[in-house]
Amino acid sequence: MAKIRVLADHVANQIAAGEVVERPASVAKELVENSIDAGATQITIEIEAGGRRLLKVSDDGEGMVRDDAILAFERHATSKIRVSDDLIAIGTLGFRGEALASIASVAKVELITSTEGAAAGTRVAIDGGRMRDVKDAAHPRGTTIIVRDLFFNVPARRKFLRSEATETFHLTNLVTHYALAHPEIAFAFVNNGRDVVRAVAAKNLRERAYQIFGEAFLENLLEVDGGGAPMARVTGFVSAPRDRRTSRDSQYLFVNRRFVRDRMIGRSLSEGYRSILPHGVYPAALLFIETPLEEVDVNVHPAKTEVRFRRPDAVADAVRESVRAALARHDYVPQALTPIEPQAPTPFEPQIQTVEPQPAPPTSPPFQTAASAAVSVTPPQPRIEFAPPPSGDEIARDIEEMIRVQSVKSVVPVPPVDSAQKLVREVTPENLSANIRPLGQLEESFIIATDDEGLLLIDQHVAHERVLFDKYRALESERRVESQQLLVPETFDLTPAQAAVFDQLAPELEVYGFELMRLSGRTVAIRAVPADLPAGEARNMLAELLETVDAEKKLSARETMRDEIAASLACHAAIKVNMSLTPEKMRWLIDRLLQTSSPTTCPHGRPVILRLGLRDILKGFHRI
Ligand code: ADP
Ligand code: MG
């Protein structure tokens, strides 16, 4: 007997739902995108119980006539593409025509919709993929979709939903993304009857960012406006280097106003900050990349949060250079040539920097002039930087530059001096000596010292971090926390997503000596801070913690969260680099460091002490 069967529609839809509908936030994403595609000027999202019990999205978009309202739930029913050629240049957020069908197959869905001037609207009810009811209903122009009891018929998936707090966090994050991408649309987000976001239509991104994040966030932002036709224009905001975060959570990235998660863009963004932000520290960013529609394939993943660029290197260049230029305009990096990234040049093989005409004028042909063909171009490498980004006759300039670079580079390079990495080693607990003698400071940042085995460099900031971390942890566990009242309380504006995390983080912070008070709305007052923490650092620290401590971790392991708080406190209270230390202070620091639980690594896992061994010194001087 033949064994292959065609699946019933509702089974196929449930399978598709597995890809599109992962959690309440993914339902909200599809519905909000549909509203945007329908030309809405006002979108309201209401949720209950983290979106599991209720998720309702209303818009004032073009609405649907009765036949369309019914058809909308069919698989592959879409008004957005007609022929496969349309797939090459997709200008709408949706196009696969499977979102509504998928959602309706795993929830109880009600759709009420009406078009402009229609005599009556339509109400369609559909449960677990089965059409229950279609009738006339009153509705102003636009569409309301109510999704109840998500996964009511798929217990296996229901089990994978996280706590209400976590799902709410994801939903808030999502709404924040769309609100940023569409300042011209009014957004409201209501959680269990409480307003979380209420933003009227804004003039531009800056105004929208102000509505959502408040003034303090905006103060630290630098405007990005770079790249250009024909490849990728990059606009938006990035944070100043002093504003540091330990996760990428505050990076809002968009491609053609579609919110994406893209490692390549994240990486290029970080590359823009090279040498001014250490590893493991991330800037905040609202970055909008505009590319011609045919340059990007959004049909990579059903949820469409991944994209594939036809020329990823050109996009990466545009992002990196635009960010770099923004930093240069604010004097964070020199305006002129900045050092080329130390990306291991192959010795003895002269490298030619790819100098792609980016951005090239719209009229220029792809970069295939005789000159460029003659100069063999290696795979994309960090480019020589121009700031501000080149414009106008840059082709000529690029060729000039290329020739210049080539002539410099074709001189056989001097072999590199033995890399310091080989000689200077991290001190580990096993070879740590108790007999460390400080000699002085290097760059007012590193303590130069000796022990019986050689010469030591101690990073004063991370060393102090380790000392303070142990101290805070000890005080907390002995419940002997000391705090200092602030004369004038500091205030802090929470973003909607942070507000959700804050309520659960606050009690843990108070354990360490913070006194926090939630004022009206999303403003928090800091009334007291732990001893040793400079008052001015309290805000930075709070912002950083609200990002690192994500909803899930926080709920599961209180200890992990307390460690994170202690690490953050230690980091903000510790002496900084570029600070001169007296010999007594150096002695004190080293003594305290040696008494800690782990003198050779900081709470974030970085090394504290490096050693140049005596043997290597002797070898270096050809004495052995
Ligand atoms: P897609 O968005 O990929 O086309 P969906 O399943 O999300 O597929 O929606 C199917 C169709 O239903 C859309 O193409 C659109 O015509 C219609 N539709 C869905 N939501 C709305 C809305 N909020 N307003 C107007 N039309 C809508
Ligand atoms: Mg859609």
Side-chain angles (χ1 to χ4, degrees), residues 15 39 98 125 179 207 243 254 286 440 490 541 588:
I15 293 171
E98 57 188 9
E207 193 178 307
D243 191 7
F254 304 84
L286 313 174
E490 292 252 349
M541 178 187 159
W588 172 88

Side-chain angles (χ1 to χ4, degrees), residues 274-292:
R274 74 188 167 281
S275 75
I276 49 177
L277 271 190
H279 268 295
V281 173
Y282 305 97
L286 313 174
L287 275 191
F288 292 84
I289 297 164
E290 303 288 334
T291 69

Side-chain angles (χ1 to χ4, degrees), residues 30 34 80 94 99:
E30 296 297 336
N34 281 346
K80 298 168 194 174

Side-chain angles (χ1 to χ4, degrees), residues 30-31 33-38 59 61-64 68 71-74 77-81 93-102 111 113 142-145 304:
E30 296 297 336
L31 299 183
E33 289 191 347
N34 281 346
S35 297
I36 295 171
D37 284 345
D59 68 53
E62 63 184 355
M64 286 174 267
D68 283 346
L71 211 63
F73 289 99
E74 292 290 324
T78 179
S79 55
K80 298 168 194 174
I81 55 175
L93 294 168
F95 57 85
R96 295 170 62 111
E98 57 188 9
L100 286 185
S102 300
L111 166 115
T113 183
T143 304
T144 296
I145 299 194
K304 302 179 250 75

